Amino acid sequence: MTTTTAPARPTAPVAKPKTAPAAKPLTAYRPYWAKRFGTAPFLPMSRAEMDKLGWDSCDIIIVTGDAYVDHPSFGMAVIGRTLEAQGFRVGIIAQPDWQSADPFKVLGKPNLFFGVTAGNMDSMINRYTADRKIRSDDAYTPGNVGGKRPDRASLVYAQRCKEAFNDVPIVLGGIEGSLRRIAHYDYWQDKVRRSVLIDSKADLLVYGNAERAIVEIAHRLAAREPIAQITDIRGTAFIRRHDDPTAAGWFEVDSTEVDLPGRIDAHINPYQTTSEQAEAQGTTCSKEQGGDAPAAQTAEPAVKPITFVRNTTGRVALPPREKTVVRLPSYEQVKSDPVLYAHANRVLHLETNPGNARALVQRHGEGKTAREVWINPPPIPLTTAEMDHVFDLPYARSPHPAYADEKGGHDGATKIPAWEMIRFSVNIMRGCFGGCTFCSITEHEGRIIQSRSEDSVIREIEEMRDKVKGFTGVVSDLGGPTANMYRIGCKSPAIEAACRKPSCVYPGICPNLNTDHGPLIKMYRRARALKGVKKILIGSGLRYDLAVQSPEYVKELVQHHVGGYLKIAPEHTEGGPLSKMMKPGIGSYDKFKAMFDKYSAEAGKEQFLIPYFIAAHPGTSDEDMMNLALWLKRNGFRADQVQTFYPSPMATATAMYHSGRNPLKGVHRDPKRGGEMVDVVRGERRRRLHKAFLRYHDPNNWPLLREALKDMGRADLIGNGKHHLIPTWQPATDGSYQTARRSNSTPTPCAKKGVALKTTQPVKGRILTQHTGLPPRDNGGRPARPGTPARPAAAARKTRVR
């Protein structure tokens, strides 16, 4: 490996900006011979199903922590169907009992590899709350039963697969693998853990949307290429020994040359004589002291100044990017030094654009046992034609028959809540260029939007209308990670390929961003005009600062695609925490709300916005939460459920939480020389306080809030007037609160002493929202029965806040 020192600030690029390199289309591969078996109605989960299909073995077996739902919103179905379209025989082992290796042998030995994933969610986030308490449910399991997957499922499944068939390659994937591809902070153990590749002993890790990488891996393994030689596929990570000869020819750049995290020494004056250098250090130089010094008896050449030759081109030569690897601080370094952890996190996020990202390498261990985790640049995003290919595959759009209830359906005791949520929804795009620091979408799907064609989306709606049992004419969502980023991206492919900004909309909308919502408006109108479609709702989160750039879109959305309420996520009202989240100011919310109310009034509809907020995010002071509570009270909002910040692996906000520094502004060991320190909300009491401010109306929180307000010097907010945040008197409380989403919640005494909130049973057949107090949304379905009592207007102001 060749080591170079790259200049931190080159005066000009080596060559003109160019777009991301082209990738081999998914449909350009010669199908594997097993394509003759045709398409399976469901990918098999048992030997009996394999026998029925005429298979003697599986080429690839996918092990997943989720129940198998054959729908394009579930990762195992997308990867399985994509590989099936290439001609491979794919089996599924879903939620196996991990106590032994036997359940991993149920489909026999795969011919090519095991594909291992924890599922659509990180297994630790799926299992534990933000307060590290065990959840009793799992939305990706039949019957919503918790505990059907192990903690850190990727590790356990990989080890069991290796135990079952030691000579079968293991390819790790899914969001759990994506977020743990380098040394990462683990919130549940409160320490930095090694790369998941090291702990799992997998042969390859595929991060991000894996279609392009997994197809190439499968075909190369089918061609009998050893998996140890497959080290050049984008979107993959693998392990090398520190002295591996296959690394020859790479130019290594230390990450501190890309982004300096520590003390910066003054540059040495090349014209300074030896005596002047010694004098600057408080010593003398014996070479220039005369003949009485021993060194003077030896003839020495005269000191000559270094001659600098001006570069007439004005450019600094850099090693070729495609053969450059950036060395991150080792696992041992980031484990013991939070500053270097924040630095490594910052460098990783700087190398996420497929158009200019370089490979990364991080050492784990020391001496002869050291291993290098190599991370290739991110995958090239799928084209529209490739997205159509993936989503047009023959999905059954329902759970596997093995999960059927006593009536042969999936609506009874074995219902899978995650499938129910997306049962009548359509995914139109991938990716997000918002760059919110607490979110993991960018680390997994990237910030370049990958959109389907309008025709493909319409075909899926029609198929859902005609084939999916229980469809009533209501499409629950037409969106993706963000509802209104469809076909939006950089105006210039060259600029997009060269850009290293973490967000296209923060601190303001980039002038190079195309904000045209026209294609999305056209799709909405065409979809709602389809025969048999009564209403199309938008359930995905909306980027409202982007939406206000197109009043026509807001009008179309509000007047035709809002079923009584619309969720948006300001996340906070104060500039401090918003700057750490990379979210717009509350003024953008006010602007969108004005448009929302205007177009709702024009349509003669009473509709409501549902703002989401986060408590205890890094950079949030107690005063920030107090001001947010005051804003909520002024605007008449009462939070139903509260979401506190959850440090997911590899997120930028998690690096803030662990290191106390802001990677967005550079990382320096000495804050006085650059960078920014971050106020981190730690400890149960302070986290409870921030949650209590969001639920200022809950009597159980009043004692804690009174104490905090007095400590903050804001006792003026305690009183019985409308301008006060909390009252002086305290009713009897039992430490619980009522929520519309939990059947086991108990009533909490309301403002009148001794009077409990009255619970009402929902009327059968009436669609209710999951948000306290909001009216049922008008989704084009059957109207409520005559005599159904109307909700009081005051209750309509309540909402859910996360």
Side-chain angles (χ1 to χ4, degrees):
M1 185 183 294
T2 304
T3 302
T4 66
T5 301
R9 292 183 178 85
T11 56
V14 176
K16 294 180 180 179
K18 56 183 180 180
T19 58
K24 186 174 182 178
L26 292 179
T27 54
Y29 291 86
R30 182 179 179 181
Y32 192 58
W33 69 266
K35 191 174 181 65
R36 69 185 66 174
F37 287 101
T39 301
F42 284 89
L43 301 178
M45 292 178 61
S46 66
R47 290 304 296 258
E49 293 175 78
M50 290 171 57
D51 293 341
K52 192 173 181 180
L53 294 169
W55 300 3
D56 61 344
S57 62
C58 290
D59 300 310
I60 299 156
I61 295 176
I62 297 176
V63 181
T64 175
D66 293 339
Y68 171 33
V69 179
D70 201 50
H71 187 283
S73 291
F74 285 75
M76 88 292 284
V78 171
I79 296 302
R81 290 296 186 182
T82 299
L83 289 169
E84 180 190 55
Q86 300 290 324
F88 298 103
R89 294 166 295 178
V90 183
I92 301 284
I93 298 178
Q95 297 187 319
D97 181 358
W98 65 92
Q99 302 301 327
S100 73
D102 292 339
F104 296 79
K105 301 176 182 178
V106 65
L107 298 181
K109 181 179 179 179
N111 301 319
L112 299 179
F113 65 89
F114 274 114
V116 174
T117 172
N120 275 18
M121 283 184 69
D122 182 281
S123 62
M124 299 300 287
I125 295 176
N126 178 279
R127 182 63 169 152
Y128 297 90
T129 69
D131 296 324
R132 299 189 182 97
K133 296 179 180 178
I134 296 179
R135 302 183 193 271
S136 59
D137 53 3
D138 183 346
Y140 291 88
T141 300
N144 199 23
V145 178
K148 291 296 184 179
R149 75 186 83 204
D151 291 352
R152 301 180 181 85
S154 295
L155 301 182
V156 179
Y157 291 161
Q159 291 165 5
R160 287 303 191 197
C161 287
K162 187 65 70 174
E163 183 181 343
F165 302 102
N166 187 50
D167 56 339
V168 175
I170 296 175
V171 180
L172 205 64
I175 193 166
E176 184 163 290
S178 290
L179 300 187
R180 288 172 164 78
R181 56 186 185 263
I182 65 169
H184 54 279
Y185 173 72
D186 186 271
Y187 171 65
W188 304 272
Q189 290 185 325
D190 194 23
K191 72 175 187 179
V192 176
R193 289 180 61 95
R194 299 184 296 183
S195 165
V196 70
L197 254 178
I198 299 291
D199 287 340
S200 68
K201 297 180 174 59
D203 297 278
L204 271 180
L205 182 148
V206 180
Y207 68 90
N209 294 122
E211 293 93 347
R212 199 180 294 287
I214 205 72
V215 165
E216 183 174 350
I217 291 169
H219 280 288
R220 289 172 66 170
L221 288 176
R224 299 295 185 265
E225 182 175 352
I227 196 166
Q229 296 180 12
I230 303 178
T231 60
D232 58 341
I233 300 178
R234 297 178 69 104
T236 64
F238 56 94
I239 298 174
R240 272 189 173 128
R241 292 182 179 272
H242 69 283
D243 55 353
D244 196 321
T246 61
W250 283 83
F251 297 88
E252 182 180 304
V253 177
D254 192 274
S255 64
T256 56
E257 295 293 338
V258 179
D259 192 75
L260 277 167
R263 183 171 59 87
I264 303 174
D265 293 323
H267 293 292
I268 297 175
N269 181 356
Y271 299 107
Q272 203 172 31
T273 65
T274 307
S275 60
E276 288 172 337
Q277 293 180 32
E279 183 181 356
Q281 298 174 8
T283 60
T284 59
C285 177
S286 60
K287 292 181 180 180
E288 299 184 10
Q289 284 179 341
D292 55 339
Q297 299 174 4
T298 305
E300 293 287 346
V303 177
K304 296 181 180 179
I306 299 173
T307 303
F308 283 82
V309 180
R310 181 176 177 81
N311 185 346
T312 56
T313 64
R315 297 178 179 178
V316 176
L318 294 174
R321 189 169 287 270
E322 64 275 7
K323 293 296 290 184
T324 300
V325 60
V326 178
R327 177 167 292 281
L328 299 174
S330 69
Y331 160 70
E332 285 72 21
Q333 288 176 301
V334 299
K335 179 182 179 180
S336 60
D337 190 341
V339 174
L340 286 180
Y341 180 89
H343 159 74
N345 182 273
R346 174 175 166 82
V347 173
L348 181 139
H349 283 85
L350 288 173
E351 303 293 338
T352 55
N353 184 346
N356 59 45
R358 292 166 288 191
L360 303 172
V361 62
Q362 185 177 55
R363 180 171 295 188
H364 288 63
E366 298 175 349
K368 294 182 179 180
T369 61
R371 296 291 183 270
E372 306 273 15
V373 175
W374 280 66
I375 304 173
N376 287 325
I380 303 301
L382 298 185
T383 64
T384 296
E386 290 173 317
M387 285 284 286
D388 289 354
H389 166 73
V390 169
F391 281 87
D392 288 348
L393 294 172
Y395 301 98
R397 298 190 68 88
S398 73
H400 189 276
Y403 306 124
D405 55 28
E406 63 279 1
K407 296 181 180 179
H410 302 281
D411 299 314
T414 60
K415 180 188 293 185
I416 302 172
W419 169 71
E420 186 69 21
M421 186 183 301
I422 53 87
R423 184 177 183 177
F424 304 117
S425 69
V426 176
N427 196 333
I428 64 175
M429 46 75 69
R430 285 179 180 169
C432 180
F433 50 71
C436 300
T437 61
F438 53 82
C439 181
S440 301
I441 292 175
T442 300
E443 285 86 351
H444 184 60
E445 295 193 356
R447 63 185 178 91
I448 296 177
I449 302 303
Q450 304 164 68
S451 302
R452 299 169 63 184
S453 70
E454 180 183 303
D455 288 342
S456 175
V457 173
I458 296 301
R459 282 196 300 271
E460 183 171 350
I461 296 175
E462 292 176 330
E463 183 179 19
M464 183 171 63
R465 173 197 65 190
D466 299 337
K467 298 181 180 179
V468 177
K469 182 181 178 182
F471 183 70
T472 61
V474 180
V475 178
S476 61
D477 188 23
L478 208 59
T482 304
N484 60 319
M485 288 187 182
Y486 178 75
R487 291 197 182 179
I488 291 180
C490 193
K491 297 175 183 177
S492 166
I495 293 176
E496 181 179 70
C499 182
R500 293 166 73 83
K501 290 177 60 179
S503 173
C504 299
V505 289
Y506 182 84
I509 295 177
C510 177
N512 295 314
L513 185 68
N514 166 34
T515 60
D516 181 20
H517 285 64
L520 189 56
I521 296 170
K522 183 172 178 288
M523 179 191 293
Y524 283 177
R525 291 173 178 170
R526 181 178 172 187
R528 62 185 171 88
L530 289 174
K531 182 179 179 181
V533 175
K534 299 176 182 178
K535 195 173 186 68
I536 293 178
L537 299 169
I538 304 304
S540 300
L542 184 78
R543 190 77 194 201
Y544 55 88
D545 54 339
L546 194 62
V548 296
Q549 302 297 314
S550 175
E552 183 184 6
Y553 170 75
V554 178
K555 182 176 182 178
E556 169 72 20
L557 174 76
V558 171
Q559 296 189 348
H560 299 284
H561 303 284
V562 175
Y565 63 89
L566 178 71
K567 61 182 180 182
I568 58 175
E571 307 297 5
H572 217 284
T573 59
E574 305 306 296
L578 288 174
S579 68
K580 308 305 181 296
M581 300 175 184
M582 287 208 299
K583 293 286 290 186
I586 198 64
S588 296
Y589 166 84
D590 295 334
K591 184 176 181 180
F592 179 79
K593 185 178 185 304
M595 298 175 70
F596 182 89
D597 292 341
K598 173 186 174 184
Y599 294 128
S600 293
E602 287 181 3
K605 296 181 177 181
E606 186 181 20
Q607 301 183 137
F608 307 91
L609 284 178
I610 303 196
Y612 283 59
F613 297 95
I614 294 180
H617 190 278
T620 307
S621 67
D622 298 348
E623 288 75 14
D624 290 331
M625 292 306 301
M626 177 191 70
N627 291 332
L628 173 54
L630 292 171
W631 184 92
L632 290 171
K633 184 165 187 178
R634 282 197 306 269
N635 289 274
F637 289 119
R638 290 191 170 190
D640 172 26
Q641 288 185 316
V642 174
Q643 177 63 51
T644 52
F645 169 66
Y646 206 149
S648 60
M650 219 171 75
T652 299
T654 302
M656 297 180 193
Y657 179 87
H658 175 58
S659 68
R661 287 166 171 82
N662 183 5
L664 299 174
K665 293 191 175 183
V667 179
H668 297 270
R669 198 169 297 283
D670 183 0
K672 296 180 180 179
R673 304 187 68 172
E676 180 184 5
M677 301 299 291
V678 177
D679 180 13
V680 178
V681 184
R682 291 182 180 273
E684 182 180 355
R685 185 184 182 283
R686 196 171 177 212
R687 285 173 68 87
R688 281 200 309 114
L689 174 62
H690 283 216
K691 292 167 64 177
F693 271 120
L694 285 180
R695 286 188 52 80
Y696 66 91
H697 56 281
D698 185 349
N700 292 287
N701 293 325
W702 292 348
L704 178 62
L705 290 175
R706 287 194 198 97
E707 181 183 352
L709 289 173
K710 291 175 183 177
D711 292 342
M712 295 162 63
R714 294 305 308 269
D716 58 299
L717 295 177
I718 305 172
N720 300 325
K722 290 185 178 181
H723 62 285
H724 293 115
L725 183 63
I726 56 174
T728 55
W729 54 271
Q730 179 67 41
T733 58
D734 60 358
S736 63
Y737 70 93
Q738 187 178 19
T739 165
R741 295 190 65 193
R742 296 192 182 275
S743 58
N744 61 349
S745 63
T746 54
T748 300
C750 65
K752 293 183 179 180
K753 203 168 185 178
V755 180
L757 293 173
K758 181 183 282 188
T759 57
T760 57
Q761 293 296 324
V763 179
K764 186 177 180 181
R766 186 183 188 192
I767 300 177
L768 301 177
T769 72
Q770 63 179 352
H771 306 286
T772 304
L774 284 176
R777 60 187 182 189
D778 178 11
N779 60 7
R782 185 179 301 172
R785 294 188 305 180
T788 301
R791 290 175 179 251
R797 302 300 303 276
K798 297 180 183 178
T799 186
R800 176 190 176 201
V801 180
R802 68 172 182 177

